[in-house]
Every structure is written in C-alpha cells, then in structure tokens.
C-alpha cells in the first residue's frame, strides 16, 4: 500500500477525508473549512500529513503528525493527532500501513517519541495501536481546556 506525503495536488481528496474524520467525531460537515485547514497545513508545513492511495491512486486514508518538544526527555516528539480511513477502505490494512509509515518517518527524523489519544470507546483503534507496540499511559491524566476563540484553521 503506497503511503506518501500529501501534496497540494491531493487537496480535494484530502479535504474529503478530513471532513469524514470530523464527522466521525460528531462535527457537522464543513468541506470548505476542511479544505482550508488542509491547505494551511500544506502551505505552512506545520504538520506532517501522510496519505495512503489505493491501487487506482484514490486516497483512502491519512495520518497527521504535529511536532512538539519534551522538556523531560530533552528531545522532539510528535503527536499523532489524526488517523482516518474511509469507511469503504476499512479492514484492508490501510490504518496499519499509515501507522507504520508514521513510525518510520518519525524514526528517520530522530524523533524520541510518538504520542496519541483516542476516544475511550474506540476499541478497534486501541486494538490496532496495541498490536503495533503502543502502550496506554497509566501514569498521567490528560486534561483539556476549551477557550472561547475562533476556530484555528
């Protein structure tokens, strides 16, 4: 399964996947906003976007990695912020291929750690992560604070 970095030529298909990802998490469909968000990531290079293309070249999934730093490890780490596979391409190894590509990319850049979070009831994703050697963090609780600002696109 060919996994490669997303390019501007992928924008339309990538935006469809991003919009599907957002709908999976209960957000209203907004293809224009998803397109704008993806275009900004590609233009700014502030995340790493990998896509999987089927044999016919159709994008079937993506993974997005965001750089951050660890003061404790004194090293860079990436947050695997998004993983999505189109419903019609699930159970075909696409997610595994994307996860392995993310790991390989991180290793090639000397990244000390990858981190991710998922919904408590996303059992299929949790099984995939465990099968690939990811371990659940029992040492820290994670918190979020939503601020009343405009959505960052």
């Amino acid at each position: 399964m060919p996994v490669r970095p997303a390019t501007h030529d992928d924008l339309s298909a990538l935006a469809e996947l991003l919009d599907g990802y957002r709908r999976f998490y209960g957000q209203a469909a907004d293809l224009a906003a998803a397109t704008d968000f993806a275009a900004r990531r590609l233009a700014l290079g502030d995340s790493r976007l990998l896509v999987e293309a089927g044999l016919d070249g159709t994008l079937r999934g993506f993974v997005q990695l965001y750089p951050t730093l660890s003061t404790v490890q004194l090293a860079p780490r990436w947050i695997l912020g998004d993983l999505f596979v189109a419903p019609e391409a699930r159970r075909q190894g696409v997610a595994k291929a994307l996860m392995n590509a993310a790991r390989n990319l991180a290793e090639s850049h000397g990244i000390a750690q990858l981190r991710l979070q998922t919904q408590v009831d996303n059992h299929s994703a949790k099984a995939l992560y465990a099968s690939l050697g990811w371990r659940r963090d029992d040492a820290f609780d994670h918190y979020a604070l939503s601020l009343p600002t405009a959505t960052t696109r």
Side-chain angles (χ1 to χ4, degrees):
M1 280 176 225
V3 175
R4 58 174 175 74
T7 68
H8 189 74
D9 292 339
D10 298 316
L11 186 57
S12 179
L14 178 59
E16 291 280 349
L17 289 170
L18 285 170
D19 199 48
Y21 175 75
R22 295 183 69 252
R23 289 192 315 268
F24 178 82
Y25 281 103
Q27 301 300 306
D30 191 340
L31 186 56
T35 302
D36 183 52
F37 184 84
R40 286 180 181 266
R41 302 295 65 80
L42 292 170
L44 295 173
D46 57 1
S47 73
R48 305 276 179 155
L49 269 160
L50 302 176
V51 293
E52 191 275 350
L55 295 176
D56 65 355
T58 301
L59 297 191
R60 304 187 310 163
F62 76 94
V63 65
Q64 186 161 211
L65 302 150
Y66 296 95
T68 188
L69 299 169
S70 170
T71 303
V72 173
Q73 292 178 312
L74 298 175
R77 67 178 168 203
W78 286 352
I79 297 170
L80 195 152
D82 311 308
L83 171 68
F84 183 73
V85 176
E88 64 275 8
R90 292 183 183 155
R91 303 262 183 235
Q92 298 176 31
V94 175
K96 184 176 183 178
L98 286 163
M99 292 293 292
N100 285 332
R103 177 186 180 142
N104 292 340
L105 182 64
E107 288 177 342
S108 75
H109 282 82
I111 301 304
Q113 184 182 60
L114 288 173
R115 298 182 64 87
L116 66 77
Q117 64 184 26
T118 193
Q119 285 184 321
V120 174
D121 63 353
N122 193 344
H123 302 293
S124 60
K126 288 174 158 185
L128 171 66
Y129 305 148
S131 76
L132 296 173
W134 289 71
R135 299 290 170 248
R136 193 167 72 88
D137 184 349
D138 293 324
F140 295 92
D141 288 329
H142 298 270
Y143 295 85
L145 176 63
S146 296
L147 303 173
T149 60
T151 302
T152 302
R153 296 182 186 189

